[in-house]
Amino acid sequence: MFGGPPMDRLRPLGGRKHVVVVGAGIIGASIAFQLSRRSIPVTVLDDGEPGYGASSHSFAWINATGKSPDYYHYFNRRSMDMWARFARELDADIGLTWGGYLQWESTQDGADRLRAQLAELHFWGYPCRFINEREIQDLEPGIVTGPVLAAAINDVEGHVDTQKIVDACLLRASEAGAIVRTNSGATGFKMTQNANGETVVEGVETEMGEIPCDTVVLAAGVATTALAAMVGVDLPQQYSPGVVVRTDPQPPLLQKVSVLYAPQIEPGHSEIHLRQMANGVVQIGEGSQESLNRDDSQGHANDLLDRATKYLPALSGAKVSPVPVGFRPMPRDGFPAIGFCGSAPNVYMALMHSGVTLAPLAAELATMEIVDGIRVDALLPFRPDRFSSKGS
Ligand SMILES: Cc1cc2nc3c(=O)[nH]c(=O)nc-3n(C[C@H](O)[C@H](O)[C@H](O)COP(=O)(O)OP(=O)(O)OC[C@H]3O[C@@H](n4cnc5c(N)ncnc54)[C@H](O)[C@@H]3O)c2cc1C
């Protein structure tokens, strides 16, 4: 129903065959790390510096709130639950911070939406609950909420430092023998016909020459669509710019909760979300996790900080820097695109939004599919072939 190559085209990679991972953001780096744990020889290519793509612009919230329908929620949740193990496997400081998520609403519409969202999350067994204004104050005395018509909290969400994860994954992969080439992107692919008459990639072309490969992973974020087209795969994306600004390091602002989602200050403004990283820097974004925003001016950064300061007065001395607009890797229907494709049987696609939440699971499942030649049912709704008329 959802496409993907038929089982008879899936073969274990086995042996010590060579995988080229194109893209060293959180997804490519995590996959390279997992492949190298299975002793697969890996070359990682990035046309810039590792982690400087969407991963460096991310709000990096590990969450399953706001992820519908049910199978997508469970997919995110499964990855959330893997983060502690992923951190242990990496054995490095990755800025992993738990504490949960607090949201409150000050308008009737907002309160109705929040109640409907909680009803759905409760139906799926997600451990979130309503709380009142007094409980918010007891939990987080530094917050000035304004009117509260509905509020909800969960204890299970958190955030990470994406650059630390990318660096840790590549370090561990390198220690296991992986080659990491920066400022050296894939410029094309050398195609050939294999013994089964299939068109496969036998080499990844770069400005420094061709790298022979048995399997290619395309994890190049927004650039994945253009690279996929080079191997005959249609992988359309939405245009999804976003802006998350950063303050200078601040003393701890929150006692327990790790991510705040606060209502609009006045009509015409959107909601804001914020988190404080382990190094004290506060990240502030607006709207939902998918909201489109291209304003990376200092004025907009100041406005976001002003709005955040109304809710967290301790931010009043903070300085904020604009961060250039980031572009979410976003398949056209908003869901991940993970797996081999019928028309390019040795090219594995790994393109997704919420790639921070999903990195541990996506990397583990991709590695199983690539190395063991198996097909994971949990990935069926997310096969890249769903976009392709050539999909099988
Ligand atoms: C504003 C914003 C907020 C977000 N908030 C969240 C959030 O709260 N929670 C969450 O889970 N997700 C969030 N996301 C999404 C998440 O950040 C992304 O899904 C994730 O970072 C994608 O990682 P990636 O490795 O696929 O892509 P990227 O980080 O973009 O990495 C792709 C890499 O490929 C390289 N590349 C490109 N072309 C080539 C080439 N030809 N050859 C070699 N290398 C190439 C690039 O240089 C880049 O380093 C957010 C994203 C944005 C932009």
Side-chain angles (χ1 to χ4, degrees):
M1 168 187 178
F2 292 105
M7 287 300 285
D8 60 4
R9 286 217 217 142
L10 298 168
R11 286 176 290 277
L13 190 56
R16 288 180 44 79
K17 293 186 173 169
H18 186 214
V19 179
V20 175
V21 178
V22 179
I26 191 168
I27 297 299
S30 301
I31 293 173
F33 167 60
Q34 292 296 358
L35 287 169
S36 64
R37 291 182 76 227
R38 298 287 307 271
S39 303
I40 298 293
V42 179
T43 299
V44 185
L45 299 179
D46 199 288
D47 66 352
E49 291 296 329
Y52 280 33
S55 300
S56 67
H57 297 265
S58 188
F59 187 65
W61 177 17
I62 299 172
N63 76 310
T65 297
K67 309 270 176 81
S68 295
D70 52 358
Y71 62 86
Y72 184 52
H73 169 82
Y74 292 130
F75 194 68
N76 278 271
R77 197 159 155 190
R78 190 170 157 194
S79 197
M80 279 173 61
D81 292 344
M82 285 177 66
W83 262 101
R85 173 161 64 88
F86 191 52
R88 264 200 320 279
E89 288 165 357
L90 280 170
D91 191 21
D93 167 22
I94 53 168
L96 185 57
T97 308
W98 298 112
Y101 166 65
L102 170 65
Q103 174 175 357
W104 71 97
E105 296 291 346
S106 59
T107 63
Q108 198 54 55
D109 277 0
D112 291 346
R113 273 196 306 276
L114 184 58
R115 287 192 194 99
Q117 184 178 60
L118 243 70
E120 186 174 65
L121 290 170
H122 282 157
F123 191 66
W124 295 333
Y126 201 53
C128 48
R129 64 186 188 279
F130 290 110
I131 60 171
N132 60 34
E133 204 172 335
R134 164 59 64 87
E135 289 170 294
I136 297 178
Q137 287 313 311
D138 290 347
L139 202 63
E140 294 294 350
I143 297 179
V144 176
T145 57
V148 177
L149 270 64
I153 192 166
N154 73 55
D155 298 327
V156 291
E157 296 182 354
H159 54 79
V160 283
D161 185 326
T162 47
Q163 193 60 50
K164 286 185 172 177
I165 297 158
V166 170
D167 292 345
C169 285
L170 295 180
L171 175 66
R172 295 290 175 244
S174 307
E175 287 169 351
I179 295 164
V180 181
R181 283 203 197 169
T182 59
N183 300 300
S184 175
T187 53
F189 301 95
K190 185 169 178 201
M191 315 291 287
T192 189
Q193 284 224 324
N194 68 11
N196 300 325
E198 299 164 324
T199 305
V200 294
V201 174
E202 66 172 6
V204 178
E205 291 160 2
T206 76
E207 281 174 5
M208 292 160 71
E210 186 191 310
I211 304 172
C213 62
D214 298 286
T215 298
V216 183
V217 176
L218 290 189
V222 290
T224 302
T225 296
L227 292 166
M230 292 182 194
V231 296
V233 173
D234 186 20
L235 193 43
Q237 288 187 63
Q238 296 173 36
Y239 173 71
S240 186
V243 171
V244 179
V245 300
R246 291 174 184 237
T247 68
D248 54 344
Q250 297 295 305
L253 294 168
L254 297 168
Q255 295 197 350
K256 179 178 183 301
V257 171
S258 60
V259 172
L260 285 189
Y261 192 92
Q264 55 182 17
I265 298 271
E266 56 196 33
H269 276 112
S270 43
E271 308 84 354
I272 56 162
H273 43 269
L274 68 83
R275 68 163 181 140
Q276 185 166 28
M277 299 169 70
N279 61 6
V281 167
V282 178
Q283 279 195 308
I284 312 167
E286 67 179 329
S288 77
Q289 264 193 301
E290 282 85 34
S291 294
L292 307 188
N293 192 340
R294 285 195 57 97
D295 189 350
D296 52 9
S297 65
Q298 181 69 53
H300 181 243
N302 293 342
D303 180 48
L304 285 179
L305 178 60
D306 283 350
R307 283 149 67 188
T309 306
K310 292 217 166 64
Y311 295 118
L312 271 173
L315 274 171
S316 59
K319 293 187 175 45
V320 69
S321 313
V323 175
V325 63
F327 295 92
R328 300 177 187 92
M330 185 71 86
R332 190 174 59 202
D333 59 6
F335 297 109
I338 307 174
F340 287 111
C341 293
S343 49
N346 68 335
V347 182
Y348 198 90
M349 305 291 168
L351 173 70
M352 68 206 79
H353 177 54
S354 281
V356 175
T357 303
L358 293 174
L361 180 60
E364 187 166 271
L365 298 184
T367 299
M368 289 167 64
E369 293 205 315
I370 292 167
V371 179
D372 301 320
I374 54 155
R375 190 167 176 177
V376 177
D377 248 23
L379 289 172
L380 287 184
F382 308 120
R383 292 303 187 196
D385 270 348
R386 68 186 184 274
F387 296 110
S388 167
S389 51
K390 295 180 217 157
S392 40

